[in-house]
Amino acid sequence: MHSSRKTHRVRVGTVEMGGGSPVRIQSMTNTPTSDVERTVAQILELVSAGSELVRFTVKDEEDARAVPEIARVLAGYGCSVPLVGDFHYNGHRLLTRHEDCARALDKYRINPGNVGTAEQHDANFRTMIEAAVEHGKVVRIGVNGGSLDQGLLADLIQADLEAGQPRGTRGVFLDAMVESALRSARQAQEYGLPEDRIVLSAKVSEVQEVVEVNRALAARSRYALHVGLTEAGMGLKGTVGSALALGILLSEGVGDTIRVSLTPAPGESRSREVEVAREILQGLGLRSFYPRVTACPGCGRTSSSLFQELAQDVQRYLQRRMPDWQEAGLVGVESLKVAVMGCVVNGPGEARGANIGISLPGSGEIPAAPVYADGKRLETLKGDDLAPRFLQILEDYVRHRYAPRPATTPPVPDLKGLNPPPGVRTEAIEAGLDARKACIEERSVVGNYVSTAEVRLTTQTGPSHPHPGVGGVSTPRRPNATPGGGFRTGARS
């Protein structure tokens, strides 16, 4: 799906994008950059959520002076996430006056629409590019609809009028965005920046316009592309808009790194945008981050809430166990698909199509629930303890199917347990990590969840052994696991 467009591979710090690399997720802080503690806390929060690059504004001298300290503190916490400085209006001055800032960043974001006008524009832009060349940094040339180069736009409008068949304001506006990005990229190369250190972006807040302008950029260049819907908005509106725009582009092979620009509700974690980005990539089949549960929406055949409760139990169980499975080296478990279906219509088919699945009885159906693994029927569960028994089968399946081997991608470390670097006040950093933990617990990713099913599992299937890192909850032993043999379950019918 995503291999159709060949782009230059770009290395930003420790992360590669483009050229066949996975689509990368990035995010942006909303703390005052000069407040080192709060900014570090939010960066750690975003990284723990899965952000692979983090951007922050560098708007003045105070911000520029803070950048090297932010990098130092993050290194002390063992965090090597690439840092991107966002410059507008005065980046040429800040990068030349604060060389420590220029060196500490891994990438500069430059908006060609606000680096100056006429000759001043070219001189300021050149200064920033030369700083990137000197320090070996990557540059994202980021064009935004709200800050488009007005001189370029006026020239294109005039040319459109003289052409005799005007495309109209909207068409010329989008043409100007594409032209601004490409002209700036050519200039950057003329000033010595190689094409494999250039990333382009062109963002507006309307889905169709984002799609159109990025298709044009992709057709006319091989630069790596950063795609996203700018100012997507809050909540459902921003999530749906971003999913539509990114889904269309990524399914066409357009986009090497993404950001979901959600406006957080007051007090909401900034990491929500990272979670949405992960869902988009996993939903498109471009990357896998965690096991997924397929569940039917319910209808008149599923008047019981049993399948809804079991689907919720399974989702929470998977999310809870995932850190332990990763630690145990069960590589590939992140792509596990579990089906929890509510009646005979689609239940058996969906359950067979998943790695492991269960088809619960609907209204008026025989009270029995067949369980399938890898397309084959394992057994049929009956009785009031369907949930704990299915979770036990699920645990056995995972342990057998995903044999331990060295992980290629280690899980995100628990940064809270690390010692801070000397001389750093950590109250805000610890508060930020506590906020992240609370946010994760609320969304059932990790935390203190203990389902009724899990309690039954522990009490009904015999002795258990503790698994560290799972909130102190014991997970049953696997009485039916066959060492060195095939996966099997107890003979129930």
Side-chain angles (χ1 to χ4, degrees):
M1 177 191 296
H2 190 260
S3 61
S4 57
R5 179 173 180 261
K6 303 298 182 183
T7 60
H8 299 296
R9 187 182 296 263
V10 178
R11 185 175 184 86
V12 185
T14 57
V15 172
E16 289 187 339
M17 64 178 70
S21 302
V23 179
R24 301 299 185 181
I25 295 172
Q26 56 184 281
S27 56
M28 186 173 184
T29 65
N30 61 358
T31 57
T33 303
S34 58
D35 188 330
V36 173
E37 286 188 67
R38 288 177 60 196
T39 300
V40 166
Q42 194 169 83
I43 290 172
L44 294 178
E45 175 187 341
L46 291 167
V47 170
S48 70
S51 183
E52 295 165 295
L53 300 93
V54 179
R55 177 163 51 110
F56 46 73
T57 187
V58 185
K59 69 181 189 303
D60 54 28
E61 307 274 344
E62 194 174 4
D63 283 357
R65 284 191 290 269
V67 170
E69 182 67 2
I70 290 169
R72 185 185 77 84
V73 176
L74 286 170
Y77 275 92
C79 178
S80 60
V81 66
L83 302 178
V84 184
D86 197 60
F87 294 95
H88 298 272
Y89 307 109
N90 58 355
H92 55 290
R93 290 196 295 271
L94 296 177
L95 287 171
T96 52
R97 292 177 183 174
H98 298 274
E99 289 199 15
D100 286 349
C101 168
R103 282 191 292 267
L105 293 169
D106 297 288
K107 180 177 166 188
Y108 311 154
R109 185 277 173 106
I110 303 174
N111 184 342
N114 58 30
V115 296
T117 58
E119 293 181 3
Q120 183 187 23
H121 172 285
D122 291 349
N124 294 346
F125 183 75
R126 180 168 190 157
T127 297
M128 298 177 76
I129 296 300
E130 288 177 344
V133 172
E134 179 183 354
H135 299 293
K137 306 301 180 181
V138 173
V139 169
R140 170 162 75 97
I141 297 169
V143 178
N144 271 65
S147 53
L148 187 58
D149 184 331
Q150 294 302 300
L152 173 61
L153 180 59
D155 290 344
L156 291 183
I157 289 174
Q158 184 61 38
D160 184 61
L161 292 172
E162 294 173 355
Q165 292 182 323
R167 296 190 61 216
T169 303
R170 177 182 175 277
V172 176
F173 175 79
L174 297 180
D175 286 347
M177 292 189 67
V178 174
E179 190 60 31
S180 177
L182 293 178
R183 284 188 187 183
S184 298
R186 289 193 294 268
Q187 275 187 304
Q189 286 190 248
E190 291 171 5
Y191 300 151
L193 191 66
E195 55 193 4
D196 62 357
R197 293 224 302 268
I198 297 174
V199 179
L200 299 186
S201 69
K203 295 187 181 183
V204 285
S205 56
E206 296 296 329
V207 171
Q208 292 292 353
E209 293 181 349
V210 165
V211 170
E212 186 174 336
V213 76
N214 279 281
R215 280 174 174 166
L217 275 177
R220 294 179 57 183
S221 78
R222 291 185 59 207
Y223 297 111
L225 293 185
H226 167 133
V227 297
L229 190 72
T230 193
E231 294 124 15
M234 299 182 69
L236 184 62
K237 182 260 184 189
T239 300
V240 172
S242 294
L244 285 170
L246 291 172
I248 293 169
L249 290 169
L250 291 170
S251 67
E252 296 176 359
V254 177
D256 301 289
T257 179
I258 65 172
R259 186 203 169 192
V260 175
S261 300
L262 293 181
T263 304
E268 184 182 33
S269 170
R270 187 71 165 181
S271 63
R272 179 66 176 167
E273 67 177 56
V274 180
E275 294 164 5
V276 172
R278 284 162 67 102
E279 287 286 349
I280 291 170
L281 292 180
Q282 183 145 338
L284 289 169
L286 295 177
R287 296 184 67 178
S288 294
F289 300 102
Y290 35 69
R292 306 300 293 270
V293 176
T294 297
C296 66
C299 67
R301 289 178 175 270
T302 56
S303 56
S304 168
S305 63
L306 177 61
F307 85 94
Q308 296 164 309
E309 293 167 356
L310 181 58
Q312 186 177 55
D313 277 3
V314 170
Q315 183 70 62
R316 288 174 171 170
Y317 187 81
L318 291 170
Q319 291 169 330
R320 248 177 72 106
R321 296 291 291 128
M322 188 61 180
D324 286 338
W325 292 337
Q326 285 182 311
E327 186 176 349
L330 305 187
V331 178
V333 70
E334 66 278 359
S335 62
L336 172 70
K337 182 179 178 181
V338 183
V340 179
M341 304 302 292
C343 79
V344 73
V345 176
N346 293 319
E350 288 287 350
R352 279 193 298 266
N355 295 109
I356 184 167
I358 185 169
S359 178
L360 296 167
S363 301
E365 296 176 14
I366 297 172
V371 176
Y372 300 85
D374 297 326
K376 298 179 180 179
R377 184 165 171 164
L378 288 179
E379 63 177 291
T380 299
L381 302 182
K382 297 178 181 179
D384 296 333
D385 61 346
L386 288 174
R389 289 162 63 190
F390 180 67
L391 291 180
Q392 177 65 71
I393 294 170
L394 171 60
E395 180 73 27
D396 290 348
Y397 175 85
V398 168
R399 290 289 180 173
H400 173 79
R401 173 67 175 78
Y402 302 99
R405 56 188 185 274
T408 56
T409 304
V412 176
D414 179 7
L415 299 170
K416 188 172 175 61
L418 300 178
N419 293 323
V424 177
R425 293 191 305 114
T426 61
E427 291 89 343
I429 296 173
E430 297 299 333
L433 294 172
D434 286 340
R436 170 62 186 159
K437 180 182 177 184
C439 173
I440 291 174
E441 289 173 350
E442 181 180 349
R443 295 186 184 127
S444 305
V445 178
V446 295
N448 300 320
Y449 167 75
V450 183
S451 71
T452 303
E454 207 167 351
V455 172
R456 292 199 195 108
L457 250 173
T458 304
T459 57
Q460 293 183 11
T461 58
S464 62
H465 64 279
H467 284 270
V470 194
V473 178
S474 296
T475 302
R477 285 192 303 182
R478 302 159 49 226
N480 297 311
T482 307
F487 173 69
R488 63 184 178 87
T489 66
R492 300 185 179 98
S493 60

Short mmCIF file of all heavy atoms in Angstrom, two decimals, residues 314-343:
data_model
loop_
_atom_site.label_atom_id
_atom_site.label_comp_id
_atom_site.label_asym_id
_atom_site.label_seq_id
_atom_site.Cartn_x
_atom_site.Cartn_y
_atom_site.Cartn_z
N VAL A 314 -11.61 -8.39 27.06
CA VAL A 314 -10.50 -8.84 26.23
C VAL A 314 -9.60 -7.67 25.85
O VAL A 314 -8.36 -7.77 25.92
CB VAL A 314 -11.03 -9.55 24.96
CG1 VAL A 314 -9.88 -9.80 23.97
CG2 VAL A 314 -11.69 -10.86 25.33
N GLN A 315 -10.19 -6.54 25.46
CA GLN A 315 -9.40 -5.36 25.09
C GLN A 315 -8.52 -4.92 26.25
O GLN A 315 -7.32 -4.67 26.09
CB GLN A 315 -10.32 -4.22 24.67
CG GLN A 315 -9.58 -2.97 24.18
CD GLN A 315 -8.90 -3.19 22.85
OE1 GLN A 315 -9.54 -3.46 21.84
NE2 GLN A 315 -7.59 -3.05 22.83
N ARG A 316 -9.10 -4.86 27.42
CA ARG A 316 -8.33 -4.42 28.59
C ARG A 316 -7.25 -5.45 28.96
O ARG A 316 -6.15 -5.08 29.35
CB ARG A 316 -9.28 -4.19 29.77
CG ARG A 316 -10.13 -2.95 29.60
CD ARG A 316 -11.16 -2.84 30.70
NE ARG A 316 -11.83 -1.54 30.67
CZ ARG A 316 -12.90 -1.22 31.39
NH1 ARG A 316 -13.42 -2.13 32.19
NH2 ARG A 316 -13.44 -0.03 31.31
N TYR A 317 -7.59 -6.70 28.84
CA TYR A 317 -6.62 -7.75 29.15
C TYR A 317 -5.42 -7.67 28.22
O TYR A 317 -4.26 -7.75 28.64
CB TYR A 317 -7.29 -9.12 29.04
CG TYR A 317 -6.43 -10.27 29.50
CD1 TYR A 317 -6.31 -10.58 30.85
CD2 TYR A 317 -5.73 -11.05 28.58
CE1 TYR A 317 -5.51 -11.63 31.28
CE2 TYR A 317 -4.94 -12.10 28.99
CZ TYR A 317 -4.83 -12.39 30.35
OH TYR A 317 -4.03 -13.43 30.76
N LEU A 318 -5.67 -7.50 26.93
CA LEU A 318 -4.59 -7.38 25.96
C LEU A 318 -3.70 -6.19 26.27
O LEU A 318 -2.46 -6.27 26.22
CB LEU A 318 -5.16 -7.25 24.55
CG LEU A 318 -5.85 -8.48 23.96
CD1 LEU A 318 -6.57 -8.12 22.67
CD2 LEU A 318 -4.86 -9.60 23.73
N GLN A 319 -4.33 -5.06 26.55
CA GLN A 319 -3.56 -3.85 26.81
C GLN A 319 -2.75 -3.97 28.09
O GLN A 319 -1.64 -3.45 28.19
CB GLN A 319 -4.51 -2.65 26.86
CG GLN A 319 -5.10 -2.33 25.49
CD GLN A 319 -6.24 -1.34 25.56
OE1 GLN A 319 -6.98 -1.26 26.55
NE2 GLN A 319 -6.42 -0.59 24.49
N ARG A 320 -3.31 -4.67 29.06
CA ARG A 320 -2.60 -4.88 30.31
C ARG A 320 -1.42 -5.83 30.17
O ARG A 320 -0.37 -5.65 30.76
CB ARG A 320 -3.56 -5.45 31.34
CG ARG A 320 -3.87 -4.52 32.46
CD ARG A 320 -4.88 -5.22 33.31
NE ARG A 320 -4.19 -6.27 34.02
CZ ARG A 320 -3.90 -6.18 35.31
NH1 ARG A 320 -4.22 -5.11 35.96
NH2 ARG A 320 -3.29 -7.14 35.92
N ARG A 321 -1.61 -6.87 29.40
CA ARG A 321 -0.58 -7.89 29.28
C ARG A 321 0.51 -7.50 28.30
O ARG A 321 1.61 -8.07 28.34
CB ARG A 321 -1.22 -9.21 28.84
CG ARG A 321 -2.21 -9.79 29.83
CD ARG A 321 -1.53 -10.29 31.09
NE ARG A 321 -0.73 -11.47 30.82
CZ ARG A 321 0.56 -11.59 31.17
NH1 ARG A 321 1.17 -10.59 31.79
NH2 ARG A 321 1.22 -12.70 30.91
N MET A 322 0.24 -6.56 27.42
CA MET A 322 1.19 -6.22 26.36
C MET A 322 2.59 -5.88 26.89
O MET A 322 3.59 -6.37 26.34
CB MET A 322 0.63 -5.09 25.50
CG MET A 322 1.44 -4.79 24.27
SD MET A 322 1.54 -6.20 23.15
CE MET A 322 2.53 -5.51 21.83
N PRO A 323 2.73 -5.06 27.92
CA PRO A 323 4.09 -4.77 28.41
C PRO A 323 4.85 -6.03 28.83
O PRO A 323 6.04 -6.16 28.57
CB PRO A 323 3.84 -3.83 29.61
CG PRO A 323 2.52 -3.19 29.31
CD PRO A 323 1.71 -4.26 28.65
N ASP A 324 4.17 -6.99 29.47
CA ASP A 324 4.83 -8.23 29.88
C ASP A 324 5.20 -9.07 28.68
O ASP A 324 6.27 -9.69 28.64
CB ASP A 324 3.90 -9.03 30.80
CG ASP A 324 3.81 -8.41 32.18
OD1 ASP A 324 4.72 -7.66 32.55
OD2 ASP A 324 2.82 -8.68 32.89
N TRP A 325 4.32 -9.13 27.70
CA TRP A 325 4.62 -9.91 26.50
C TRP A 325 5.81 -9.32 25.75
O TRP A 325 6.65 -10.05 25.23
CB TRP A 325 3.39 -9.97 25.59
CG TRP A 325 2.26 -10.78 26.18
CD1 TRP A 325 2.36 -11.75 27.14
CD2 TRP A 325 0.88 -10.68 25.84
NE1 TRP A 325 1.10 -12.27 27.42
CE2 TRP A 325 0.18 -11.63 26.64
CE3 TRP A 325 0.15 -9.89 24.94
CZ2 TRP A 325 -1.20 -11.80 26.55
CZ3 TRP A 325 -1.23 -10.07 24.87
CH2 TRP A 325 -1.89 -11.01 25.66
N GLN A 326 5.87 -8.00 25.69
CA GLN A 326 7.03 -7.36 25.05
C GLN A 326 8.30 -7.66 25.82
O GLN A 326 9.34 -7.99 25.24
CB GLN A 326 6.82 -5.85 24.96
CG GLN A 326 5.83 -5.43 23.89
CD GLN A 326 5.71 -3.93 23.82
OE1 GLN A 326 5.52 -3.26 24.83
NE2 GLN A 326 5.81 -3.39 22.62
N GLU A 327 8.21 -7.56 27.14
CA GLU A 327 9.39 -7.81 27.97
C GLU A 327 9.87 -9.25 27.83
O GLU A 327 11.06 -9.54 27.89
CB GLU A 327 9.06 -7.51 29.44
CG GLU A 327 10.25 -7.60 30.37
CD GLU A 327 9.90 -7.20 31.79
OE1 GLU A 327 8.80 -6.67 32.01
OE2 GLU A 327 10.74 -7.44 32.68
N ALA A 328 8.92 -10.15 27.60
CA ALA A 328 9.27 -11.56 27.42
C ALA A 328 9.79 -11.86 26.02
O ALA A 328 10.17 -12.99 25.73
CB ALA A 328 8.04 -12.43 27.71
N GLY A 329 9.80 -10.85 25.14
CA GLY A 329 10.34 -11.05 23.80
C GLY A 329 9.39 -11.71 22.83
O GLY A 329 9.82 -12.35 21.87
N LEU A 330 8.08 -11.58 23.08
CA LEU A 330 7.10 -12.19 22.19
C LEU A 330 6.89 -11.29 20.97
O LEU A 330 5.88 -10.59 20.85
CB LEU A 330 5.78 -12.43 22.92
CG LEU A 330 5.87 -13.26 24.22
CD1 LEU A 330 4.48 -13.57 24.75
CD2 LEU A 330 6.64 -14.55 23.98
N VAL A 331 7.85 -11.32 20.08
CA VAL A 331 7.84 -10.43 18.92
C VAL A 331 6.72 -10.83 17.98
O VAL A 331 6.53 -12.00 17.66
CB VAL A 331 9.20 -10.48 18.19
CG1 VAL A 331 9.17 -9.59 16.96
CG2 VAL A 331 10.31 -10.06 19.14
N GLY A 332 5.96 -9.85 17.52
CA GLY A 332 4.85 -10.08 16.62
C GLY A 332 3.51 -10.07 17.31
O GLY A 332 2.47 -9.99 16.66
N VAL A 333 3.52 -10.11 18.64
CA VAL A 333 2.25 -10.13 19.37
C VAL A 333 1.47 -8.84 19.16
O VAL A 333 0.25 -8.80 19.30
CB VAL A 333 2.50 -10.39 20.87
CG1 VAL A 333 3.17 -9.20 21.53
CG2 VAL A 333 1.19 -10.75 21.58
N GLU A 334 2.18 -7.77 18.77
CA GLU A 334 1.49 -6.50 18.53
C GLU A 334 0.53 -6.58 17.34
O GLU A 334 -0.36 -5.73 17.19
CB GLU A 334 2.49 -5.36 18.31
CG GLU A 334 3.34 -5.46 17.06
CD GLU A 334 4.54 -6.36 17.20
OE1 GLU A 334 4.74 -6.93 18.30
OE2 GLU A 334 5.29 -6.50 16.22
N SER A 335 0.68 -7.57 16.50
CA SER A 335 -0.22 -7.72 15.34
C SER A 335 -1.34 -8.72 15.60
O SER A 335 -2.12 -9.03 14.69
CB SER A 335 0.59 -8.16 14.11
OG SER A 335 1.19 -9.42 14.33
N LEU A 336 -1.45 -9.23 16.81
CA LEU A 336 -2.49 -10.19 17.16
C LEU A 336 -3.88 -9.60 16.93
O LEU A 336 -4.16 -8.45 17.28
CB LEU A 336 -2.35 -10.58 18.64
CG LEU A 336 -3.45 -11.44 19.25
CD1 LEU A 336 -3.40 -12.84 18.68
CD2 LEU A 336 -3.32 -11.46 20.78
N LYS A 337 -4.76 -10.39 16.34
CA LYS A 337 -6.14 -9.98 16.12
C LYS A 337 -7.06 -10.97 16.82
O LYS A 337 -6.99 -12.17 16.59
CB LYS A 337 -6.46 -9.94 14.62
CG LYS A 337 -7.88 -9.48 14.32
CD LYS A 337 -8.14 -9.43 12.82
CE LYS A 337 -9.58 -9.00 12.52
NZ LYS A 337 -9.84 -8.98 11.04
N VAL A 338 -7.94 -10.44 17.69
CA VAL A 338 -8.88 -11.25 18.45
C VAL A 338 -10.30 -10.82 18.06
O VAL A 338 -10.60 -9.64 18.00
CB VAL A 338 -8.69 -11.06 19.97
CG1 VAL A 338 -9.63 -11.97 20.74
CG2 VAL A 338 -7.24 -11.33 20.36
N ALA A 339 -11.16 -11.79 17.81
CA ALA A 339 -12.55 -11.51 17.45
C ALA A 339 -13.48 -11.92 18.58
O ALA A 339 -13.37 -13.04 19.10
CB ALA A 339 -12.93 -12.22 16.16
N VAL A 340 -14.37 -11.03 18.96
CA VAL A 340 -15.42 -11.33 19.95
C VAL A 340 -16.74 -10.98 19.29
O VAL A 340 -17.08 -9.81 19.13
CB VAL A 340 -15.22 -10.53 21.25
CG1 VAL A 340 -16.34 -10.86 22.24
CG2 VAL A 340 -13.86 -10.81 21.86
N MET A 341 -17.47 -12.01 18.87
CA MET A 341 -18.68 -11.80 18.08
C MET A 341 -19.91 -12.23 18.87
O MET A 341 -19.84 -13.05 19.77
CB MET A 341 -18.58 -12.58 16.77
CG MET A 341 -17.35 -12.23 15.95
SD MET A 341 -17.25 -10.47 15.51
CE MET A 341 -18.66 -10.36 14.38
N GLY A 342 -21.07 -11.65 18.46
CA GLY A 342 -22.27 -11.78 19.29
C GLY A 342 -23.35 -12.70 18.82
O GLY A 342 -24.33 -12.90 19.54
N CYS A 343 -23.25 -13.29 17.63
CA CYS A 343 -24.29 -14.21 17.19
C CYS A 343 -23.78 -15.07 16.05
O CYS A 343 -22.64 -14.90 15.58
CB CYS A 343 -25.56 -13.47 16.79
SG CYS A 343 -25.51 -12.72 15.15
#
